[in-house]
Amino acid sequence: MGSGEDTPTRPVRIMPLGDSITEGWGSATWAGYREELFNELHRLGHDIDFVGPRNDVLQPEGDPDHAGSSGITIQGLTEVVPAWVSAAAPDWVLLHIGTNNMYDDNATLAPGYLRALLDAIQQACPAAHILLASIIPSRFAPFQKHIDEYNQHVRKIAEERADQGVHFVDMAPALTASESGQDDDLSDNVHPNLQGYAKMSKVWRDALHPLLPAPEGGPILTRNPHFQTTRLSAAHQADRGWDRGYFPGWDNEGVNAYAAELAGSGNGSNAVGMFTAPPMYKGISTRLATTPQVPVRVTFRTKSNSLGPAYACDPNAASDHTFTIEAGGHPPATMTADGSWRTLTYEFTPTGTSTTLRFSPNSQPGCGPLITDVLAREVTT
């Protein structure tokens, strides 16, 4: 266990960008390929953060942020993407777009629209790399004719811009479609089924893995380390349900952790304390899929909760600065936050294949330090 200055490693920011296929239409949790891709990159040790203006509150695990919008065309995306990309500042953009342009003879205009979209992305965020995918097949033969022609242009456009950070990803051959719908990878004429989304995640993984910075350690176990709260509205909270908590992958035994954004911090932050009716003082917890006897190092960021008397918090009370972290049956550690963000560490060696990591406040309801960027990683040699 230890503490230090707030010098966390910056995660790689990835924006899944596109239409309903990126949004996850037809998948049970509306995560589509994104949840499995997130998990697979974590298993490879990559510290990543999905970014975008959309947040799927039904997603039970992983990172719910993305930039998929059902029904959107290439030109429709071009109108909104400058604001989206500027705000999210992605390092990588996963672009699968064009399906909604394939429905009529105007499909011949799609390559020109795609060039304009790429221009808009690169102007808004010149440093971003773009993985440009061919679009997946359709069950409907007239659509498929347009798709085949369009995908030839997608490859050519990516090759033309290879020196500008555009990488071609041949997604189309990974999925199958048949007019009868028998034994294919679609749930309807255009959207993948669960098997199809799993295949998409593997294609994205295989394209990204060799391009990302080398991992700084072993597999990452936290299912949502860089959880964000600033985009959740009251409606989103209600949709998630009081028994689910605000953050995919995190629980608080039936009581929501109070979510707060400190002015000027630039980060979504999560108070360990509670702000609802009993049971209270439960803190937040997440389940880690651990390997017995393989050590785990947990790093996280913390800062004192400065919400003040309006939330029954006393900024001067010692109890509002302290909290406990523990993993399963391992010895808990009491830690102290102060007025500045700091990165702290906690280490343990699991004995089983599932370990609960818990942060508990030592304060009144609604108080306790803020916690964010909780990264649990296996320590490998």
Side-chain angles (χ1 to χ4, degrees), residues 308-332:
Y311 292 97
C313 297
D314 180 358
N316 298 315
S319 61
D320 287 344
H321 299 266
T322 61
F323 59 97
T324 299
I325 177 173
E326 60 182 315
H330 297 83

Side-chain angles (χ1 to χ4, degrees), residues 74 95 97 110-119 132 150 154 157:
I74 303 171
L95 181 59
I97 189 65
Y113 293 146
L114 180 60
R115 286 188 169 90
L117 172 59
L118 292 173
D119 288 342
L132 176 60
Y150 173 70
V154 172
I157 291 169

Side-chain angles (χ1 to χ4, degrees), residues 21-45:
I21 295 172
T22 297
E23 188 176 18
W25 184 281
S27 59
T29 60
W30 283 82
Y33 71 74
R34 293 178 284 106
E35 187 168 306
E36 183 56 27
L37 174 62
F38 190 81
N39 292 338
E40 295 222 11
L41 291 174
H42 269 188
R43 284 191 284 269
L44 291 168

Side-chain angles (χ1 to χ4, degrees), residues 188-357:
D188 55 25
N189 282 341
V190 295
H191 298 99
N193 55 25
L194 294 182
Q195 174 178 280
Y197 279 124
K199 290 181 177 180
M200 290 188 73
S201 74
K202 288 179 172 54
V203 174
W204 286 126
R205 176 204 64 189
D206 291 344
L208 270 171
H209 175 50
L211 297 173
L212 296 179
E216 297 187 357
I220 293 172
L221 308 181
T222 332
R223 293 175 291 168
N224 187 1
H226 305 289
F227 47 81
Q228 301 292 315
T229 65
T230 56
R231 283 185 293 277
L232 287 180
S233 68
H236 286 160
Q237 295 165 12
D239 287 344
R240 284 199 55 76
W242 292 107
D243 62 337
R244 294 284 297 281
Y246 289 65
F247 315 112
W250 290 84
D251 187 29
N252 45 41
E253 298 191 7
V255 182
N256 276 339
Y258 179 75
E261 166 77 353
L262 283 186
S265 72
N267 291 280
S269 51
N270 169 31
V272 177
M274 300 295 103
F275 191 57
T276 61
M280 294 181 177
Y281 313 113
K282 293 295 185 181
I284 56 174
S285 64
T286 190
R287 179 178 53 81
L288 308 178
T290 49
T291 303
Q293 305 309 316
V294 175
V296 175
R297 177 177 296 116
V298 183
T299 63
F300 58 95
R301 301 175 65 221
T302 185
K303 181 179 180 179
S304 295
N305 185 344
S306 58
L307 293 174
Y311 292 97
C313 297
D314 180 358
N316 298 315
S319 61
D320 287 344
H321 299 266
T322 61
F323 59 97
T324 299
I325 177 173
E326 60 182 315
H330 297 83
T334 297
M335 297 190 176
T336 303
D338 58 29
S340 301
W341 283 104
R342 288 195 300 157
T343 298
L344 305 182
T345 63
Y346 171 79
E347 297 184 10
F348 68 95
T349 300
T351 57
T353 57
S354 180
T355 304
T356 297
L357 178 70

Side-chain angles (χ1 to χ4, degrees), residues 6-221:
D6 184 37
T7 54
T9 301
R10 180 182 181 274
V12 177
R13 298 171 64 83
I14 298 175
M15 173 182 276
L17 177 64
D19 50 34
S20 57
I21 295 172
T22 297
E23 188 176 18
W25 184 281
S27 59
T29 60
W30 283 82
Y33 71 74
R34 293 178 284 106
E35 187 168 306
E36 183 56 27
L37 174 62
F38 190 81
N39 292 338
E40 295 222 11
L41 291 174
H42 269 188
R43 284 191 284 269
L44 291 168
H46 295 293
D47 182 12
I48 61 172
D49 184 14
F50 281 173
V51 296
R54 307 292 299 278
N55 185 294
D56 280 337
V57 296
L58 296 179
Q59 186 175 331
E61 299 183 5
D63 188 332
D65 298 330
H66 65 90
S69 182
S70 292
I72 202 164
T73 60
I74 303 171
Q75 58 271 38
L77 198 59
T78 303
E79 294 178 6
V80 297
V81 83
W84 288 4
V85 173
S86 297
D91 301 305
W92 291 88
V93 175
L94 310 185
L95 181 59
H96 182 280
I97 189 65
T99 300
N100 294 311
N101 291 82
M102 299 293 107
Y103 299 154
D104 54 44
D105 290 338
N106 288 329
T108 57
L109 301 176
Y113 293 146
L114 180 60
R115 286 188 169 90
L117 172 59
L118 292 173
D119 288 342
I121 295 171
Q122 292 176 314
Q123 290 170 9
C125 190
H129 290 262
I130 302 170
L131 293 187
L132 176 60
S134 56
I135 63 175
I136 65 172
S138 167
R139 287 178 180 168
F140 191 44
F143 293 176
Q144 190 57 46
K145 178 178 180 295
H146 293 317
I147 289 172
D148 290 338
E149 294 173 354
Y150 173 70
N151 280 341
Q152 293 179 24
H153 289 282
V154 172
R155 180 189 291 272
K156 180 180 178 182
I157 291 169
E159 291 172 348
E160 291 172 353
R161 299 183 182 228
D163 61 350
Q164 301 173 35
V166 179
H167 309 259
F168 177 66
V169 175
D170 203 4
M171 185 69 70
L175 279 71
T176 61
S178 64
E179 288 191 66
S180 67
Q182 293 294 316
D183 300 321
D184 69 6
D185 296 314
L186 302 184
S187 61
D188 55 25
N189 282 341
V190 295
H191 298 99
N193 55 25
L194 294 182
Q195 174 178 280
Y197 279 124
K199 290 181 177 180
M200 290 188 73
S201 74
K202 288 179 172 54
V203 174
W204 286 126
R205 176 204 64 189
D206 291 344
L208 270 171
H209 175 50
L211 297 173
L212 296 179
E216 297 187 357
I220 293 172
L221 308 181

